[in-house]
Amino acid sequence: MRKLFLVVAILLVPAFLPAQSDEVVPNENLVVEGVPKIPASIAEAAGRYSEFRSATFASWHPGRREMLIETRFADTAQVHKVKFPGGARSQLTFYPDRVGNALYEPVHGNSFLFMKDVGGGEFFQLYRYDFATGDIALLTDGKSRNTEPRWSYQGDRIAYGSTKRSGKDVDLWIVGAADPASARMVAQMEGGGWSVSDWSPDGKQLLVMNSVSAAESYVWLVDVASGKKDLLTPKATETVAYSNARFAKDGKGAYLTSDQDSEFQRLVYLDLAAHKTAVLTPQLKWDVDEFDLSKDGRWIAFVANEDGISVLHVLDTKTNKEIPVPRIPVGVMFGITWRDNSREVGFALSTASQPFDAYSLDMASGKLERWTYSETGGLNTSGFAEPQLIHWKSWDDRSISGFLYKPPAKFAGKRPVIVAIHGGPEGQTRPDFVGRDNYYINELGIAVIYPNVRGSTGYGKTFQKLDNGFLREGSYKDINTLLDWIQTQPDLDSGKVMITGGSYGGFMTLAVATNYNDRICCSVDVVGPSNLVTFLEHTSGYRQDLRRVEYGDERDPKMREFLEKIAPANNARNITKPLFVIAGQNDPRVPASESAQMVQVVRKNGTPVWWLLGKDEGHGFAKKKNRDYQFYATVMFVKEYLLK
């Protein structure tokens, strides 16, 4: 999960202010406790920073040079069509909840597939939008959790994973695009880590991924007619992670990424008959984040994560050599997808001064075109702070890195600091647009640091595993040594530090608050667990085993004892500095009870605790009106407890 800090914030519009009101009034779906009245002046000052939009590339039309994008104009992100670079964004879906994963039917483009949940509960349903009639058909049962839909190349069927059978295990299903009643289970699976990766060109087989953890996964070949499963990547002496499996044009092999015999995810070719792999990027010492194969099978466009920056590469599959690629702005990109003409790719790109927008790049001409121009509240973002890559020595002499955003020079003297910890834990802070956080930097003169502590991805699989199980506290110490580093900086005020983060970053926030209470001024926890034992017992069933590999199995007595010992909820007596806790009532990942129990125990200390619960939200606030209130409340919290 990326920067769920004040970030739960990139797509947002100011909170509703009744006429003549002198305060920001929470809407009916927010439970607010301990939060003082928010003066309207805060919304007036910060409101423009709540008006940032973003747009992400979703899918190319198979015949015309048009694309689907996802962006927000009202309260949530919806599907839009754009007919040419810079063209109007024509909205196609209109729901109170966010919509995603829009995919054109791959032959005629006369319909598109999309996913939607209700209230952030993540029980996603699949829908098909018909361009001829505007009708929308529900393709799934309306109850189970359905994920990773994939069109067959013939455009007649959709494969996906579903929890319909048990509510916990993700089985493989297929449904006819025009006949929801045709849905059938292809293969029964065990566990929640299964997903469809690709169809074979002839529509007879599926490449399927089974993720045991972020560090261990397997690739299977499944026969669509019989459900027969063939393991393509047997268990090795060391755990191996595979991802992004795609059939080659002739169907005889598959391209995928793998960290077998490597610290990093490399692009490889897998011979399906021999079950042998060949590394295609042996010289690359960074993770390959994603790739796409051109329709003619000739080119692979892939994105490497090079010290957090996205770098585009193109490989010639005939020679297995890279070709020169036109330069793109320094930033973060995702969603790389070839047009059917096999010469142009679409993607979403963000830089430090620009939210995500949809782009295309013509490999033959080198022409980069921007398809969307997302609004930035009328602010000139070209002068926004550029991230500085920083490093510090941690407690075990390991080098830890992060990105520092400094306020403008007009702010004199030592500056207060916000440390914003990413979620995951297998996440990574990247140097892209930090949205509303720019308000803290530009208008309040606060320096913001986004650390990538041990356990983060992007720095090799050894680093990624350094916080697993009994090693959990090592990541806390990484933040403690960051606080030491802040003390050495002449322009940063180590006496004024706030810790914040979302999801696992929220857990880290609480861990730092309980272990290093005397080194911080305050903390903001967004949808974070407060006890990994109760979290593992109550997170959704399809996630439990996946999370146990990372955090440790709470059913093991020794591990349970350790997790209880380090649980922030069990050490809350240490927190005497103000705490702001934010949660979504429908959160399927981190139940709201994790936040509620933390609020309850910290209040016993007599510590100021602010509590914000979204009754129509899940794992982070998705609706703009809720995010606006969260933003303004956080601004007031920062002013009250960090800046005074």
Side-chain angles (χ1 to χ4, degrees):
M1 165 172 290
R2 307 172 67 249
K3 292 187 205 137
L4 242 170
F5 161 30
L6 321 148
V7 204
V8 176
I10 277 188
L11 302 167
L12 325 169
V13 178
F16 175 71
L17 288 174
Q20 308 303 318
S21 175
D22 60 355
E23 65 180 88
V24 177
V25 181
N27 68 75
E28 67 280 1
N29 287 311
L30 295 178
V31 175
V32 182
E33 296 178 3
V35 181
K37 290 183 179 180
I38 303 173
S41 58
I42 285 184
E44 292 166 1
R48 297 175 76 187
Y49 286 84
S50 75
E51 296 294 345
F52 298 137
R53 288 196 178 96
S54 68
T56 57
F57 170 84
S59 182
W60 284 112
H61 189 282
R64 301 187 295 270
R65 191 172 184 252
E66 299 176 1
M67 64 171 63
L68 295 177
I69 66 159
E70 293 157 17
T71 190
R72 176 200 58 75
F73 274 91
D75 208 30
T76 57
Q78 301 293 316
V79 180
H80 297 66
K81 179 169 65 174
V82 183
K83 291 187 175 182
F84 54 87
R89 292 159 284 184
S90 301
Q91 189 166 340
L92 300 174
T93 61
F94 297 81
Y95 290 100
D97 292 291
R98 58 190 171 187
V99 172
N101 289 69
L103 297 168
Y104 272 115
E105 181 275 316
V107 178
H108 306 291
N110 53 16
S111 65
F112 70 87
L113 179 71
F114 67 91
M115 291 171 50
K116 186 184 74 68
D117 68 351
V118 175
E122 299 186 10
F123 281 80
F124 300 107
Q125 304 303 317
L126 308 185
Y127 299 82
R128 177 177 172 269
Y129 178 103
D130 189 310
F131 280 105
T133 64
D135 292 341
I136 296 177
L138 174 65
L139 301 179
T140 45
D141 65 355
K143 300 176 182 178
S144 57
R145 185 175 192 270
N146 305 279
T147 56
E148 304 295 337
R150 296 285 184 266
W151 282 100
S152 66
Y153 291 97
Q154 294 74 28
D156 59 340
R157 292 166 294 166
I158 298 155
Y160 59 98
S162 179
T163 62
K164 182 178 180 179
R165 175 179 57 87
S166 68
K168 177 180 178 181
D169 303 299
V170 176
D171 301 317
L172 306 181
W173 284 69
I174 287 178
V175 64
D179 183 12
S182 67
R184 69 176 181 89
M185 186 193 302
V186 172
Q188 181 174 310
M189 303 302 198
E190 182 178 348
W194 296 89
S195 62
V196 178
S197 194
D198 196 21
W199 284 81
S200 62
D202 62 7
K204 294 181 178 180
Q205 295 175 308
L206 297 172
L207 282 174
V208 175
M209 306 299 302
N210 178 27
S211 296
V212 177
S213 70
E216 182 180 3
S217 53
Y218 301 91
V219 186
W220 293 73
L221 188 67
V222 177
D223 182 80
V224 171
S226 67
K228 180 184 176 183
K229 303 184 288 288
D230 181 18
L231 179 61
L232 299 175
T233 55
K235 192 165 187 175
T237 53
E238 64 168 348
T239 58
V240 179
Y242 300 91
S243 62
N244 303 320
R246 290 286 308 273
F247 278 99
K249 179 70 174 177
D250 60 9
K252 296 180 180 179
Y255 296 100
L256 59 150
T257 63
S258 165
D259 61 9
Q260 185 173 20
D261 301 322
S262 170
E263 279 291 312
F264 297 96
Q265 285 283 316
R266 301 185 292 183
L267 186 65
V268 303
Y269 175 80
L270 171 64
D271 185 303
L272 296 180
H275 292 194
K276 292 184 178 180
T277 58
V279 178
L280 304 180
T281 56
Q283 305 305 317
L284 190 64
K285 304 304 179 185
W286 302 101
D287 281 333
V288 174
D289 278 345
E290 59 174 286
F291 69 89
D292 192 42
L293 179 68
S294 62
K295 188 173 183 179
D296 62 8
R298 177 69 186 274
W299 311 105
I300 296 176
F302 66 94
V303 180
N305 173 359
E306 302 187 11
D307 228 348
I309 296 169
S310 293
V311 179
L312 179 64
H313 301 256
V314 174
L315 185 79
D316 184 335
T317 61
K318 288 188 176 180
T319 64
N320 286 340
K321 294 182 178 180
E322 289 191 38
I323 64 170
V325 175
R327 294 186 65 181
I328 61 173
V330 174
V332 177
M333 63 187 298
F334 71 92
I336 189 80
T337 306
W338 288 96
R339 265 191 74 204
D340 280 3
N341 65 1
S342 298
R343 60 175 278 171
E344 187 175 17
V345 293
F347 51 89
L349 172 70
S350 171
T351 68
S353 60
Q354 176 202 308
F356 276 103
D357 267 315
Y359 284 79
S360 66
L361 177 65
D362 189 301
M363 294 298 177
S365 68
K367 188 176 184 180
L368 176 70
E369 292 184 282
R370 187 171 173 179
W371 285 63
T372 59
Y373 291 82
S374 293
E375 293 80 2
T376 57
L379 292 164
N380 180 0
T381 60
S382 62
F384 279 13
E386 291 290 329
Q388 300 177 27
L389 179 63
I390 62 172
H391 293 87
W392 66 94
K393 285 282 187 179
S394 194
W395 55 278
D396 58 355
D397 288 332
R398 191 176 300 273
S399 178
I400 306 296
S401 67
F403 290 99
L404 166 64
Y405 291 73
K406 288 186 176 182
K410 66 181 181 181
F411 292 100
K414 290 192 171 188
R415 306 315 310 157
V417 181
I418 292 175
V419 176
I421 308 171
H422 67 70
E426 313 92 346
Q428 181 189 18
T429 292
R430 308 282 294 274
D432 57 6
F433 191 67
V434 297
R436 299 181 178 193
D437 291 7
N438 284 293
Y439 177 76
Y440 301 94
I441 301 165
N442 297 337
E443 308 298 337
L444 299 184
I446 300 170
V448 182
I449 298 175
Y450 302 94
N452 284 313
V453 297
R454 66 192 64 212
S456 302
T457 51
Y459 308 97
K461 61 186 180 183
T462 298
F463 189 84
Q464 180 184 315
K465 297 175 183 178
L466 284 177
D467 68 340
N468 285 6
F470 290 108
L471 303 177
R472 181 66 42 203
E473 293 172 294
S475 58
Y476 311 170
K477 297 176 184 178
D478 289 342
I479 298 297
N480 190 41
T481 53
L482 171 58
L483 299 177
D484 292 339
W485 180 87
I486 291 172
Q487 282 186 321
T488 69
Q489 303 305 301
D491 54 351
L492 301 181
D493 188 345
S494 61
K496 290 189 174 182
V497 177
M498 183 181 96
I499 306 293
T500 188
S503 191
Y504 179 74
F507 175 81
M508 283 287 292
T509 296
L510 298 175
V512 171
T514 54
N515 285 280
Y516 310 112
N517 175 75
D518 59 332
R519 306 199 69 182
I520 65 174
C521 290
C522 55
S523 51
V524 179
D525 159 35
V526 183
V527 299
S530 60
N531 182 328
L532 293 179
V533 171
T534 54
F535 160 73
L536 289 166
E537 289 176 338
H538 298 116
T539 191
S540 295
Y542 65 88
R543 304 184 72 248
Q544 285 176 310
D545 288 339
L546 293 169
R547 294 294 81 196
R548 282 167 176 150
V549 175
E550 164 72 32
Y551 298 126
D553 193 332
E554 85 287 0
R555 297 167 299 185
D556 175 80
K558 289 186 178 180
M559 180 57 68
R560 189 182 189 92
E561 180 183 7
F562 171 73
L563 294 179
E564 291 282 11
K565 178 183 176 183
I566 67 170
N570 294 337
N571 294 282
R573 64 187 178 280
N574 297 338
I575 299 181
T576 63
K577 304 297 177 61
L579 173 67
F580 188 7
V581 179
I582 300 155
Q585 184 170 286
N586 304 321
D587 193 337
R589 306 188 202 185
V590 180
S593 55
E594 287 294 306
S595 298
Q597 70 184 6
M598 195 68 192
V599 169
Q600 184 178 7
V601 293
V602 175
R603 279 180 175 164
K604 293 179 180 178
N605 299 341
T607 300
V609 179
W610 295 14
W611 168 238
L612 177 61
L613 176 71
K615 293 189 290 186
D616 58 345
E617 296 286 7
H619 197 61
F621 287 9
K623 295 180 171 64
K624 185 177 186 308
K625 61 180 179 292
N626 297 335
R627 296 169 84 168
D628 282 347
Y629 185 86
Q630 175 192 345
F631 177 43
Y632 301 140
T634 306
V635 169
M636 188 167 69
F637 184 85
V638 167
K639 287 186 172 183
E640 180 68 23
Y641 297 116
L642 179 63
L643 298 185
K644 284 188 177 180

